[in-house]
Structure formats: structure tokens, C-alpha cells
Amino acid sequence: MIATMFTSYPRTLTAVAALLALLTLAYGGAMDAVYPSLLTVFEWLETTWFGVIGKTWGAAFAFVEAVHLLGLALLGGCVLAGDGRLLGVVLTDVPMQTVVERTHRVFVFGLSICLATGIFMACGVATKIYYLPVYWFKMLALSAGMLFHFQVRRPLLSHDIQSLNPVVVKMVAVASMLVWFMVAATGRWIGFSG
Amino acid sequence: MNELIHNLAIWLDDTEWSRMLHESYYMYNWVESTHVLTLMVSLGMLFLIDLRMLGLALPDVPASRIAERLNLPMLVGFVVMFITGILLFYAVPVRTSQSLWFRLKMVLLVVCAVNAFLFHKRMNESVATWDIEPRAPSRIRLGAMLSLGFWSIIVVCGRFIAYDWFDCDTSPNTLIDIVSGCVDGQTRF
């Protein structure tokens, strides 16, 4: 039976396993063992070009912060339009498959902007965020969001959505909105911490 | 005019609610977070509409349908941003009213409103002829590009307000002091 389940839902099970591994690492004591050795990595990040630019030119850092927000707006717009359609709230007269498919491309673009600018910002304040619990929450939420989007939501919705159980489709939409809201909210809270 | 704005800001600053909002760690952060996170609703929808006009998003969905259906959530987002924006100004009125970036942001908001009015007017006049085309006509595309550009600058200005590079008590540049509306000897945060 397990073999049948794995062949039917390989990506979903891989995503769940990866999430469980992440949570175990974060809360199961393994993080406590790894955490001190990560400090050298974060100290090194501040010595990279991104780190030096971010620390030296406040205007460059602030500009990248703004671009990060623009990427977030794009990403959030796609999530709300796509998941809103799955919930039957927006674009109800456009086929679900069309909205989900077409917003995915823009979503990837928005996510790429967020990741690129996020790495730059992290390098600039690496030794600060290392000590912030909310930064690690954000990384967990981001990992969960990306795993969920690419390993669960997208493979599931690439099938004919009309043939899927409507409750499952709505649950996927709600989960997607919640996880990306969590990513954005924890990201915002980094600015208020430390 | 600057003196009038400054006196109004001082009056707001002296009100009890302004002080409470400014000094409340959680309340101020909640308002600011709501202002920033609502970007996903307001600008997220606006970007999708603009990108549709440029043929970069949802090109096979009629342009008028995207614009009409995403208009309501976009406006709800803007209303929330407007209310939280007023609260953020109310919490720190003196410094904000003398911020170069805040003033630039306000001017650009007016420019964006004019651009949105012209964009919708032009779109409504001609949409029947190009509704299902992947790309809108050049005039509409120009409006969409201006919208994307101006809103991006508004977000940059909004972010820059938090930094004190050109604050009245730190800026050595007279021209920036004039544009920022610095009132001599009356700086208070």
C-alpha cells in the first residue's frame, strides 16, 4: 500500500518528508548542534561583495529593500489572483486552469526577485539576522512555501482542476495563501526585531 | 505654506492619540506591517492589470475582464493602504511632513491618480477593438508602463522615508531643505 501511495503522490510525499526533516532540524535539537557552526557562514556572508555593498552603502541597501517589496507585491498578487480564483472569489468567469497556469509564470518572476534581493539583504545584515529567531521562522516558512508551491500545489493543479475534489482544491488555495502570508509577515517582523 | 504644514503637523503631534500611536511598539508595528503587506493586494492586482496590457501576464484572457475583475480587490487594498498611511503620518507628523521622500511620494500619488484616470478613459473608449489581443495598443501600453514605473518609484520613496539621510537637522544641502519644506529652527520628531 505504501508503495502504491508513493507512486501516486511522489512529490507530495517528498515535500511532506522534506518539511518534517526541516521541522525536526529546527525543533528536534539538531539545530542547537548545528547553530553555533553556522555563525562562521554568516560572518563570511558579510565579507562577500553583497555584504560589503549592503553594509557600506545604506542607499543601495534601502533600494534593494524596495525592490524586494515590489517582488513581494508581484508574488502576492499572483497568489491572491490564483488562489482567489480557486476559492471562487475573483476572476470567476475565467477558467481556473487558465488563471493558475498564467499567474504561475509571473509568480516565479516575483519569487526570483524576492530571492535575489533577499540574499543581498541577508548578506548586508548577516550577523544581525543570525541571532533573530524571526529570521529562522521566515526561512522555515519560505522553505515550506516553495516546497508546497512547486511540489504540491503545482503538480496537483496541472491536472484537470474540474476533475479534482473541490474541497481539496479550496484547501490547497487556503494553505497557499496562509503560507505566503506567513512568509511576508515574518519578513516584515525582521525589520522590527534586533 | 511650509510653515502652515509645519504648524498643522505640530498640532497633530501634540494630540494624545498621535503620541500613543507613536510610542506603542505593537500598535505602530501592526499599522506599518498592514500598510506594507497590503501591497500584495493593491499593487499585486495593479501589476497584473498593467502586465496584461503589456502582454506579459494572462495574455489569453480579455483585457477588460482582467481590469474589471481585479479592480475591486485592488481598490480595497488601496483603501486599506490609504487608511494605514494616514495613521502612519499621524503617528510621526512633523518629521514625515518634512521628508523629501514623503513629499515626492505624495506628488507621485497624484500623478498616478491622473494616469489611472486617463488609462481607464482610453481603455473604455477603445477596448472593444483590441480586448482579446495579447497586447494592448501603444497608448494603453504607455499608460501601463508609466503606472508600473511611477508605482515602483512610490514604493522606493516609501521605503526611503524610514532613512534620515535628508532630515532637516542632518541635511547640509539648502536645496533639499527647501524641497523638504524645512522650517528653520523648528525640527522635532
Side-chain angles (χ1 to χ4, degrees):
Chain A
M1 185 189 161
I2 292 173
T4 318
M5 262 184 74
F6 195 79
T7 48
S8 303
Y9 308 102
R11 289 182 177 203
T12 306
L13 290 174
T14 310
V16 171
L19 271 176
L20 284 174
L22 269 173
L23 287 171
T24 311
L25 180 72
Y27 298 107
M31 186 64 179
D32 294 339
V34 177
Y35 186 68
S37 59
L38 287 175
L39 182 58
T40 49
V41 178
F42 280 73
E43 283 170 343
W44 169 77
L45 284 175
E46 281 196 356
T47 63
T48 60
W49 273 102
F50 281 177
V52 171
I53 294 169
K55 282 173 81 77
T56 314
W57 287 288
F61 188 85
F63 181 76
V64 173
E65 272 184 319
V67 178
H68 192 69
L69 288 178
L70 290 170
L72 177 73
L74 202 53
L75 181 150
C78 294
V79 168
L80 290 172
D83 294 329
R85 175 64 190 95
L86 294 177
L87 290 170
V89 180
V90 289
L91 294 165
T92 46
D93 48 359
V94 181
M96 283 189 204
Q97 211 87 42
T98 307
V99 178
V100 168
E101 250 336 287
R102 302 297 180 267
T103 50
H104 174 73
R105 292 176 197 171
V106 188
F107 170 89
V108 172
F109 182 58
L111 180 64
S112 306
I113 294 174
C114 287
L115 289 176
T117 51
I119 290 168
F120 176 89
M121 291 192 301
C123 290
V125 288
T127 51
K128 177 191 165 194
I129 55 174
Y130 170 81
Y131 294 103
L132 295 179
V134 70
Y135 166 76
W136 296 100
F137 289 140
K138 172 163 176 161
M139 289 302 108
L140 259 180
L142 179 63
S143 308
M146 291 201 297
L147 274 170
F148 181 78
H149 186 88
F150 292 105
Q151 295 294 315
V152 179
R153 184 183 183 272
R154 183 142 172 81
L156 181 75
L157 300 180
S158 62
H159 296 102
D160 177 17
I161 299 176
Q162 301 298 335
S163 69
L164 299 172
N165 184 335
V167 177
V168 172
V169 172
K170 284 182 170 49
M171 280 171 63
V172 165
V174 171
S176 169
M177 288 203 283
L178 283 177
V179 74
W180 288 112
F181 174 76
M182 187 67 80
V183 174
T186 48
R188 188 66 209 103
W189 218 255
I190 290 175
F192 298 132
S193 311
Chain B
M1 179 70 175
N2 282 328
E3 210 142 324
L4 185 73
I5 294 171
H6 188 69
N7 289 336
L8 179 70
I10 285 183
W11 175 73
L12 285 174
D13 194 44
D14 283 338
T15 60
E16 196 184 350
W17 282 82
S18 171
R19 208 166 296 153
M20 281 165 67
L21 187 57
H22 187 192
E23 288 173 13
S24 159
Y25 177 75
Y26 284 106
M27 194 60 201
Y28 185 81
N29 287 356
W30 275 114
V31 173
E32 197 181 36
S33 297
T34 307
H35 189 69
V36 173
L37 295 184
T38 316
L39 273 178
M40 295 197 284
V41 187
S42 53
L43 283 197
M45 298 296 139
L46 182 86
F47 284 172
L48 280 179
I49 295 171
D50 288 339
L51 291 175
R52 165 63 188 89
M53 301 305 158
L54 297 172
L56 298 172
L58 300 136
D60 47 359
V61 180
S64 62
R65 200 173 295 174
I66 292 289
E68 283 167 20
R69 304 297 185 268
L70 297 185
N71 213 23
L72 181 65
M74 180 185 77
L75 288 176
V76 170
F78 277 125
V79 167
V80 175
M81 290 200 82
F82 188 65
I83 293 168
T84 50
I86 287 174
L87 287 173
L88 289 175
F89 177 84
Y90 180 55
V92 194
V94 180
R95 178 180 180 265
T96 311
S97 65
Q98 294 185 338
S99 161
L100 171 74
W101 306 113
F102 175 76
R103 289 181 172 221
L104 191 54
K105 184 177 175 177
M106 290 304 109
V107 171
L108 285 171
L109 280 175
V110 175
V111 173
C112 276
V114 173
N115 184 54
F117 172 76
L118 293 174
F119 177 86
H120 280 282
K121 185 170 171 282
R122 285 173 186 163
M123 196 180 103
N124 292 335
E125 282 168 358
S126 65
V127 72
T129 58
W130 54 268
D131 203 16
I132 52 170
E133 298 290 326
R135 273 166 28 126
S138 55
R139 277 200 329 166
I140 306 289
R141 288 208 307 274
L142 177 67
M145 280 191 277
L146 287 174
S147 166
L148 285 170
F150 286 141
W151 277 107
S152 299
I153 300 173
I154 285 173
V155 171
V156 173
C157 288
R159 191 66 212 110
F160 281 10
I161 291 172
Y163 293 86
D164 64 354
W165 307 313
F166 299 128
D167 274 4
C168 291
D169 58 341
T170 56
S171 164
N173 192 324
T174 316
L175 179 65
I176 290 174
D177 280 359
I178 292 167
V179 179
S180 304
C182 295
V183 176
D184 199 25
Q186 285 188 306
T187 304
R188 151 157 79 153
F189 301 108

